């Protein structure tokens, strides 16, 4: 489809240019039943002096295209186009080659971002899902993508944990992850309420930053214990990362960075805090008055670190929308400080709430570990499908946790409704898995080794399904351009829905006419491959049985 779209854009852009029309072709989905896509640019040129000539040029070009079987200009000058399905099927199978970018971009995706000492919690789900989806989509079109989890593994929270352990004479050598999980909230509470504790924690934080051996070795134990658990959870949830760098890796770059900024007169002291001299409101604080580092200090150093270790054209930060001020400040500071690479995007998202719309909590009132949501979903699916293999149920669990999340526009909040998200006839991950299992089974039983071919006569439902299949590139493009997986998630539902109608329309295996049967199997195959590619782009693994 990008082959189709790019081709179309290129040709029509040339015609616009010829008439001095400063437009790039805007393509959208046609709302008219008989047409597939629509071009809207011409609408505002209705009174152009050469409009008839422009129309003629466009028409001539479109008539030449083997990808379209009919072209129509509406009264308002919308251009409606209908796919030539037979020709498209000859040229396009929705595999990677149909979408490959001309120029590969180097992208870093910063997502996940768990903090050491705490379990992965429900708040991490959207970053993980959206991040993985952007990763896979970009990989699919041939970009060079690297994921970096950016661990919160340094600074005051760690110092607080160490303080707590020392104060209570706990044996750090036998520290278990469950101990850590109860220590974390207790230590941050004590830090807030107990001045002496606070003093001590600040002291330990300084020791961390001056590489004090004993403190570093304690930090290392805490990080190792915590990371084993985080990695185990991530793997259960089907996530992996290229880089496991964290705040601790960039910390040593900060003193030099600050020194340079002072030297270049980009920052100044304000009551011993370092403040950026950039002329914006609010002013950007770079270090606190006691000299300690802030979230932005580390994120600035991370940009420098990445420029050195992971060459990139652009960094995407997939982080909760509540941090949008932080990222605006980060990006504009990086620009003001004249760091080299200035292509950044904050991909923000809304909150995931429980089924009543309240923040997810454990029974004890803490933040809910993500793995608990996984287990609850697993149990729910298992209860309905006791005959399925454990592996399948795990895949379905992750499908539900991923698909329902990506289906929601990332900017909005949503409620996690297990009953709704597992409904086999609803707009759910279970529904899309079921459709592709049907297609897979059909193939297995047909056991057809002949080369499958599309027949010249295509029925209505076949046409509709094929049209949808060839729109994959349109939705892929949209999802990538706007960093919004929901366009593809939605598309996958519509695709699966049309396949189900096609499947139920006639028992394919009973069709006697080999040509028709083969044609239907051909469409099934195209559906299955497309469906699997979309699933890959969303980070959903197809199951083998249901
Ligand atoms: N650890 C951070 C948090 O818990 C998220 C990190 C996001 N990435 C970044 N480069 N700031 O809020």
């Amino acid at each position: 489809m990008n082959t189709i779209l790019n081709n179309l854009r290129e040709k029509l852009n040339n015609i616009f240019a010829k008439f001095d029309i400063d437009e790039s072709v805007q393509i959208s989905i046609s709302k008219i039943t008989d047409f597939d896509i629509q071009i809207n640019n011409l609408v505002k040129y209705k009174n152009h002096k050469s409009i008839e000539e422009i129309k003629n040029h466009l028409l001539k070009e479109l008539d030449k295209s083997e990808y379209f079987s009919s072209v129509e200009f509406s009264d308002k000058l919308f251009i409606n186009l209908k796919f030539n399905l037979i020709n498209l099927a000859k040229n396009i199978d929705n595999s990677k080659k149909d979408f490959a970018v001309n120029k590969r971009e180097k992208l870093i995706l910063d997502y996940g971002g768990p903090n050491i000492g705490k379990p992965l919690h429900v708040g991490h789900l959207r970053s993980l899902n959206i991040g993985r989806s952007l990763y896979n989509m970009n990989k699919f079109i041939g970009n060079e993508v690297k994921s970096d989890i950016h661990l919160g593994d340094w600074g005051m929270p760690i110092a607080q944990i160490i303080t707590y352990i020392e104060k209570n004479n706990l044996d750090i050598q036998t520290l278990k992850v469950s101990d850590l999980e109860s220590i974390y909230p207790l230590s941050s509470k004590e830090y807030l309420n107990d001045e002496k504790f606070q003093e001590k924690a600040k002291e330990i934080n300084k020791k961390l930053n001056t590489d004090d051996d004993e403190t570093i070795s304690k930090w290392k134990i805490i990080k190792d214990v915590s990371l084993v658990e985080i990695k185990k959870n991530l793997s259960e949830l089907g996530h992996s990362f290229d880089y496991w760098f964290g705040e601790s890796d960039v910390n040593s770059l900060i003193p030099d960075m600050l020194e340079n900024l002072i030297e270049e007169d980009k920052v100044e002291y304000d009551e011993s805090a370092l403040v950026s001299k950039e002329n914006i409101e609010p002013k950007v604080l770079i270090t606190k008055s006691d000299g300690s580092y802030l979230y932005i200090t580390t994120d600035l150093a991370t940009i420098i670190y990445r420029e050195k270790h992971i060459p990139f054209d652009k960094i995407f930060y997939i982080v909760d929308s509540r941090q949008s001020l932080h990222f605006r400040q980060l990006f504009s500071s990086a620009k003001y400080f004249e760091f080299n690479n200035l292509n950044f995007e904050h991909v923000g998202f809304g909150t995931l709430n429980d089924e009543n719309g309240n923040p997810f909590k454990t029974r004890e009132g803490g933040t809910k570990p993500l793995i608990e949501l996984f287990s609850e979903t697993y149990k729910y699916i298992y209860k309905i499908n006791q005959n399925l293999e454990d592996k399948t149920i795990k895949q379905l669990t992750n499908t539900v946790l991923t698909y329902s999340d990506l289906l929601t526009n990332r900017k909005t909040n949503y409620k996690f409704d297990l009953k709704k998200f597992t409904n086999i006839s609803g707009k759910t991950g279970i529904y899309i898995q079921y459709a592709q299992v049907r297609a897979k089974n059909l193939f297995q039983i047909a056991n057809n080794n002949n080369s499958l071919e599309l027949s010249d006569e295509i029925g209505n439902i076949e046409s509709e399904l094929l049209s949808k299949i060839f729109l994959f590139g349109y939705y892929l493009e949209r999802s990538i351009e706007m960093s919004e997986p929901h366009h593809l998630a939605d598309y996958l539902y519509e695709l699966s829905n049309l396949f189900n109608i096609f499947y139920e329309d006639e028992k394919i295996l009973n069709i006697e006419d080999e040509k028709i049967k083969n044609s239907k199997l051909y469409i099934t195959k195209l559906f299955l491959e497309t469906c699997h590619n979309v699933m890959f782009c969303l980070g959903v693994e197809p199951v083998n049985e249901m």
Side-chain angles (χ1 to χ4, degrees):
M1 179 78 180
N2 284 44
T3 318
I4 319 170
L5 290 186
N6 290 340
N7 204 292
L8 182 65
R9 281 197 195 102
E10 201 179 305
K11 295 213 161 105
L12 302 195
N13 281 340
N14 285 340
I15 297 176
F16 284 155
K18 212 183 275 173
F19 288 91
D20 279 335
I21 291 182
D22 184 20
E23 290 272 321
S24 59
V25 170
Q26 300 286 338
I27 297 168
S28 55
I29 301 289
S30 172
K31 288 174 199 79
I32 306 169
T33 350
D34 277 338
F35 291 94
D36 297 297
I37 59 175
Q38 188 177 68
I39 297 169
N40 302 342
N41 300 68
L42 226 49
V43 175
K44 56 178 178 272
Y45 294 97
K46 223 177 149 193
N47 299 320
H48 192 283
K49 60 181 187 320
S50 322
I51 189 65
E52 285 310 313
E53 211 183 326
I54 298 172
K55 271 169 70 179
N56 281 336
H57 271 72
L58 290 170
L59 200 57
K60 221 157 77 205
E61 192 58 60
L62 290 168
D63 273 342
K64 266 196 290 189
S65 166
E66 54 177 351
Y67 293 145
F68 301 104
S69 62
S70 82
V71 182
E72 187 200 78
F73 288 82
S74 77
D75 293 344
K76 290 205 167 112
L77 292 190
F78 288 107
I79 310 172
N80 293 306
L81 299 168
K82 187 177 173 58
F83 285 152
N84 184 329
L85 299 172
I86 306 269
N87 281 347
L88 281 171
K90 280 183 194 143
N91 292 294
I92 284 169
D93 61 7
N94 279 340
S95 61
K96 287 183 182 174
K97 68 160 177 24
D98 294 325
F99 310 104
V101 286
N102 298 329
K103 195 178 149 282
R104 288 159 69 92
E105 277 190 295
K106 294 192 180 72
L107 310 175
I108 296 180
L109 301 188
D110 177 323
Y111 67 96
N115 298 324
I116 296 301
K118 280 199 278 195
L120 274 183
H121 58 81
V122 168
H124 290 113
L125 183 68
R126 299 196 84 182
S127 174
L128 287 168
N129 281 330
I130 298 166
R132 178 177 54 193
S133 174
L134 298 184
Y135 185 95
N136 287 3
M137 291 192 281
N138 276 292
K139 198 134 222 180
F140 189 73
I141 62 170
N143 281 327
E144 283 176 46
V145 214
K146 297 287 177 216
S147 55
D148 182 6
I149 191 164
H150 196 70
L151 296 168
D153 62 352
W154 198 252
M156 204 36 109
I158 312 288
Q160 289 168 10
I161 295 176
I162 299 177
T163 309
Y164 188 93
I165 291 174
E166 288 185 0
K167 189 185 156 192
N168 293 284
N169 284 324
L170 304 177
D171 180 9
I172 196 159
Q173 302 297 336
T174 59
L175 187 75
K176 288 194 293 298
V177 72
S178 51
D179 304 328
L180 264 181
E181 285 167 10
S182 47
I183 291 174
Y184 197 104
L186 292 173
S187 67
S188 53
K189 204 160 140 198
E190 240 177 287
Y191 181 82
L192 287 177
N193 300 328
D194 181 346
E195 234 169 79
K196 254 173 88 190
F197 188 94
Q198 208 178 90
E199 282 308 308
K200 182 91 182 106
K202 282 182 178 164
E203 216 173 276
I204 288 182
N205 194 30
K206 271 211 188 94
K207 282 189 182 170
L208 264 180
N209 285 319
T210 48
D211 271 345
D212 172 67
D213 283 347
E214 201 193 318
T215 315
I216 293 290
S217 74
K218 287 180 180 167
W219 162 76
K220 189 137 182 23
I221 294 174
I222 295 170
K223 176 164 175 175
D224 288 349
V225 167
S226 185
L227 208 51
V228 168
E229 185 72 5
I230 288 177
K231 286 191 172 173
K232 202 173 93 197
N233 286 181
L234 285 171
S235 129
E236 189 87 299
L237 295 158
H239 292 279
S240 56
F241 285 84
D242 296 313
Y243 296 110
W244 291 82
F245 294 135
E247 298 181 342
S248 67
D249 291 292
V250 309
N251 196 61
S252 61
L253 299 179
I254 295 179
D256 273 353
M257 176 182 86
L258 296 177
E259 212 171 287
N260 287 339
L261 292 177
I262 294 169
E263 214 162 276
E264 289 161 11
D265 200 25
K266 296 283 190 190
V267 290
E268 63 190 353
Y269 282 105
D270 181 359
E271 293 177 9
S272 64
L274 265 186
V275 181
S276 167
K277 289 178 86 170
E278 187 186 2
N279 186 17
I280 49 162
E281 282 304 326
K283 287 282 175 211
V284 182
L285 204 61
I286 304 296
T287 66
K288 284 204 242 180
S289 52
D290 63 1
S292 60
Y293 304 151
L294 292 151
Y295 190 32
I296 195 166
T297 330
T298 316
D299 258 332
L300 284 165
T302 303
I303 296 174
I304 297 177
Y305 185 87
R306 286 175 175 158
E307 279 179 337
K308 219 152 103 193
H309 297 275
I310 324 173
F312 66 91
D313 298 317
K314 182 168 180 178
I315 308 180
F316 291 82
Y317 297 83
I318 298 97
V319 186
D320 195 314
S321 296
R322 285 173 291 192
Q323 293 193 17
S324 64
L325 175 63
H326 166 74
F327 286 105
R328 259 185 280 133
Q329 292 187 325
L330 176 66
F331 302 161
S332 87
S333 299
K335 187 170 174 197
Y336 177 69
F337 296 156
E338 297 175 66
F339 288 2
N340 291 337
N341 206 318
L342 295 174
N343 207 354
F344 307 113
E345 184 176 327
H346 173 212
V347 180
F349 51 83
T351 323
L352 163 59
N353 292 314
D354 68 13
E355 58 183 342
N356 301 315
N358 301 318
F360 257 113
K361 292 270 180 240
T362 56
R363 245 169 280 147
E364 296 75 36
T367 42
K368 192 181 178 81
L370 189 46
I371 209 67
E372 268 180 31
L373 193 67
F374 176 90
S375 309
E376 285 164 17
T377 308
Y378 180 98
K379 281 187 201 132
Y380 192 92
I381 297 175
Y382 174 73
K383 234 176 32 206
I384 311 169
N385 303 278
Q386 306 206 354
N387 50 333
L388 295 178
E389 283 179 27
D390 173 64
K391 179 178 170 217
T392 309
I393 300 182
K394 282 190 172 145
Q395 285 173 321
L396 289 176
T397 304
N398 278 328
T399 303
V400 168
L401 293 180
T402 305
Y403 186 76
S404 52
D405 190 44
L406 294 181
L407 193 60
T408 318
N409 182 322
R410 66 175 163 79
K411 290 175 186 136
T412 54
N413 303 339
Y414 76 95
K415 296 180 200 167
F416 190 84
D417 184 336
L418 199 45
K419 192 164 167 219
K420 180 172 154 200
F421 292 169
T422 51
N423 182 349
I424 190 151
S425 29
K427 203 170 179 177
T428 65
I430 302 291
Y431 180 88
I432 53 137
Q433 288 283 15
Y434 186 60
Q436 66 85 29
V437 167
R438 272 179 149 180
K440 241 186 235 177
N441 287 344
L442 190 63
F443 251 108
Q444 240 151 38
I445 301 168
N447 192 17
N448 186 319
N449 297 319
N450 303 332
S451 59
L452 300 171
E453 212 180 359
L454 195 60
S455 110
D456 295 341
E457 285 153 53
I458 319 176
N460 281 344
I461 175 63
E462 282 83 11
S463 298
E464 244 185 283
L465 177 56
L466 278 169
S467 287
K468 194 62 90 185
I469 286 174
F470 293 123
L471 284 173
F472 173 29
Y474 172 82
Y475 291 99
L476 178 62
E477 202 176 273
R478 239 177 122 75
S479 281
I480 291 178
E481 220 160 78
M482 309 176 77
S483 302
E484 289 179 349
H486 75 265
H487 304 287
L488 267 188
D490 214 62
Y491 168 69
L492 183 56
Y493 172 76
E494 288 179 29
L495 188 67
S496 306
N497 187 232
L498 280 176
F499 174 76
N500 277 334
I501 298 173
F502 160 83
Y503 179 92
E504 284 160 13
D505 179 58
E506 188 179 8
K507 266 212 156 10
I508 296 173
L509 295 175
N510 293 349
I511 297 174
E512 289 191 352
D513 185 326
E514 280 295 314
K515 226 176 136 189
I516 297 179
K517 185 163 139 187
N518 271 345
S519 180
K520 290 211 180 204
L521 284 172
Y522 176 89
I523 297 173
T524 307
K525 182 166 167 253
L526 211 50
F527 160 75
L528 195 58
E529 284 167 359
T530 306
C531 185
H532 286 177
N533 287 337
V534 184
M535 288 170 96
F536 171 78
C537 288
L538 296 174
V540 173
E541 256 177 67
V543 297
N544 284 324
E545 51 157 5
M546 254 182 95

